[in-house]
Amino acid sequence: MTPAGPVRPGSPRRIVLGVGGGIAAYKVCEVLRRLTAAGHQVRVVPTEAALSFVGAATWEALSGLPVHHGLFADVPEVPHVRLGQTADLVLVAPTTADLLARAAHGRADDLLSATLLTARCPVLLIPAMHTEMWDHPATVHNVAVLRSRGTVVAQPASGRLTGADSGAGRLPDPAEIVDLATLLLRRVDALPRDLTGRRVVISAGGTHEPLDPVRYLGNRSSGRQGYALARVAAQRGAQVTLVAAHTADLTEPAGVDLVRVDTAREMREAMLKAAPQAEVVVMAAAVADFRPAYPSSDKIKKTVSDPAPVSLVRNPDILHELVRCRLEGQVVVGFAAETGDSERDVLTYGRVKLAHKGCDLLVVNAVGRGGAFEVDHNTGWLLGLDGVEAELPEGPKSLLASYVWDAVAARLTG
Ligand code: CTP
């Protein structure tokens, strides 16, 4: 497994933000705001058409830097060469069908297309267009050409488009775009297309076990790690089903089928239904191990002076069942949130859990002292049933997800 590059988490970088001529350009103001808030220096390079949607003054005010689109501004600075040469990332959003075609053909007739030719850093294109344009053989071909050259062409989201249309081609949420950009800044090779055509099912979030109609027993989990796994898998080409219990208010990852569940038993049903069609199964959810044995159908009143103790019953161990009915060649991944104690450290507990669960890979997170839960960053170890062990570098949850998918992809092909 490749370790992360030398870039420290959160260190400011130089980003060229290309903006194509599509209505989604207005959403990219929020992308710019988030990137500059993270401390990055962002040079906005719109196409001429993009300026019909959002003017140069807006981009200049938000980036704090001058904005040009033609090849004949600032000529002594040679920006058509310098911008691409010196960038750490070129991000283009929205990337229109026309921009994809121009990039695939190596055109250099404006500042953005020239910058794409001179960039030697990761290039991340975020397409947004009508479904017919996205599905057209010309666009499909252009995307394939760009991907074969190592350009990351993201999977667009599905949903409402301009006018009454709905379908694939929607610009992913700004938070998701920034997450992918941040991932590539940390790890240039985080998004290969090595899961193309693979079907994966991932659980996320914490289950709620009802005590009465308004109260429940639950596990702490924001669902962020499961969502990051789903997002990265989809961008690496997988067909993803995400079985989500209760989560923080998270953006639905682009290009992912979302199945909502409430309790452990509902999650078990959804996972066992999806697993036989999947080549990879990941249990990232925090499943409540117990549930109240006798949930009340009416709200338990506070006026009851001495409430009866709550008796609990064991919930099914979903990961155990998934391992038991694993298909030939299927890769099963579990997560373990552990704390160490005076007898054993976190890693030792992780090894014991891996042997007990029998999954192919186990991601071990140290919890407590601010680790793992409800935060954006994560770290840990990746343990393989085959004895392979790797420490995962501290970073965004999508970075950890990228290392998990590396290990899964190696097992799928191997
Ligand atoms: N898990 C599961 N079903 C459960 C409990 C856990 O599928 N009823 C899965 C989790 O999604 C995770 C792995 O098992 O992938 C380990 O979860 P964890 O809570 O760390 O361990 P438990 O099996 O619950 O054991 P313990 O709480 O005793 O450490």
Side-chain angles (χ1 to χ4, degrees):
M1 196 173 302
T2 354
V7 183
R8 284 195 323 279
S11 57
R13 314 299 294 279
R14 271 185 308 256
I15 299 172
V16 171
L17 175 59
V19 185
I23 179 62
Y26 81 92
K27 294 188 190 167
V28 178
C29 297
E30 175 64 13
V31 173
L32 172 57
R33 205 192 55 75
R34 284 172 182 254
L35 291 172
T36 52
H40 301 302
Q41 188 197 81
V42 188
R43 210 35 219 268
V44 181
V45 183
T47 60
E48 190 178 2
L51 294 173
S52 301
F53 292 97
V54 180
T58 303
W59 302 119
E60 289 190 346
L62 288 173
S63 68
L65 292 170
V67 167
H68 305 295
H69 71 274
L71 293 167
F72 297 101
D74 261 350
V75 173
E77 297 289 319
V78 211
H80 72 288
V81 178
R82 292 284 176 270
L83 283 177
Q85 278 177 338
T86 56
D88 296 305
L89 175 75
V90 177
L91 162 65
V92 183
T95 307
T96 57
D98 182 59
L99 257 177
L100 285 173
R102 287 165 58 208
H105 286 273
R107 297 289 299 270
D109 49 2
D110 65 4
L111 189 53
L112 179 54
S113 51
T115 300
L116 287 171
L117 278 186
T118 53
R120 293 296 175 267
C121 58
V123 174
L124 171 59
L125 306 182
I126 312 284
M129 63 197 74
H130 281 269
T131 311
E132 292 81 357
M133 288 181 156
W134 176 246
D135 287 342
H136 193 281
T139 305
V140 171
H141 177 74
N142 290 332
V143 169
V145 167
L146 288 162
R147 282 179 176 159
S148 72
R149 292 184 196 140
T151 301
V152 180
V153 183
Q155 201 58 34
S158 287
R160 185 82 194 269
L161 304 168
T162 328
D165 295 6
S166 185
R170 198 177 143 85
L171 191 84
D173 194 85
E176 177 156 16
I177 296 173
V178 172
D179 189 54
L180 294 175
T182 309
L183 174 61
L184 288 175
L185 284 170
R186 272 305 296 278
R187 197 183 161 204
V188 295
D189 55 349
L191 295 173
R193 299 287 300 177
D194 55 354
L195 298 176
T196 301
R198 303 288 195 179
R199 279 160 305 173
V200 311
V201 52
I202 301 163
S203 71
T207 65
H208 284 182
E209 312 300 324
L211 191 56
D212 70 14
V214 295
R215 303 182 180 93
Y216 60 84
L217 287 184
N219 269 25
R220 280 182 69 183
S221 172
S222 66
R224 284 194 178 89
Q225 186 60 67
Y227 272 55
L229 283 156
R231 174 174 306 124
V232 173
Q235 297 301 346
R236 285 169 76 142
Q239 246 175 279
V240 182
T241 301
L242 176 61
V243 177
H246 296 268
T247 65
D249 185 16
L250 302 178
T251 307
E252 203 174 303
V256 163
D257 290 327
L258 188 65
V259 179
R260 291 257 175 223
V261 296
D262 182 30
T263 63
R265 285 184 294 174
E266 283 178 25
M267 177 166 279
R268 171 182 176 273
E269 204 177 303
M271 291 301 290
L272 292 182
K273 188 172 164 210
Q277 288 83 48
E279 289 142 290
V280 187
V281 180
V282 183
M283 277 300 298
V287 187
D289 288 320
F290 303 97
R291 65 178 184 276
Y294 307 106
S296 169
S297 52
D298 301 315
K299 185 181 172 192
I300 302 166
K301 300 286 183 290
K302 198 162 58 175
T303 46
V304 176
S305 54
D306 216 358
V310 177
S311 38
L312 301 174
V313 286
R314 285 277 294 264
N315 265 331
D317 187 321
I318 306 169
L319 181 58
H320 229 247
E321 274 189 66
L322 290 165
V323 168
R324 261 207 329 265
C325 56
R326 168 180 25 201
L327 303 171
E328 172 89 38
Q330 193 178 53
V331 179
V332 181
V333 184
F335 272 71
E338 297 290 343
T339 53
D341 56 28
S342 55
E343 283 175 33
R344 291 168 170 179
D345 61 13
V346 171
L347 193 50
T348 311
Y349 276 116
R351 289 181 187 129
V352 171
K353 189 164 282 182
L354 174 65
H356 172 65
K357 297 272 184 182
C359 46
D360 300 280
L361 291 163
L362 187 77
V363 182
V364 183
N365 298 131
V367 293
R369 295 185 299 279
F373 292 126
E374 291 156 15
V375 291
D376 288 330
H377 279 220
N378 211 351
T379 178
W381 293 268
L382 185 58
L383 310 183
L385 202 56
D386 53 11
V388 171
E389 293 191 355
E391 188 167 358
L392 300 168
E394 212 258 315
K397 290 187 171 177
S398 50
L399 180 69
L400 184 136
S402 74
Y403 287 111
V404 172
W405 290 123
D406 282 0
V408 168
R411 278 159 179 81
L412 283 171
T413 48

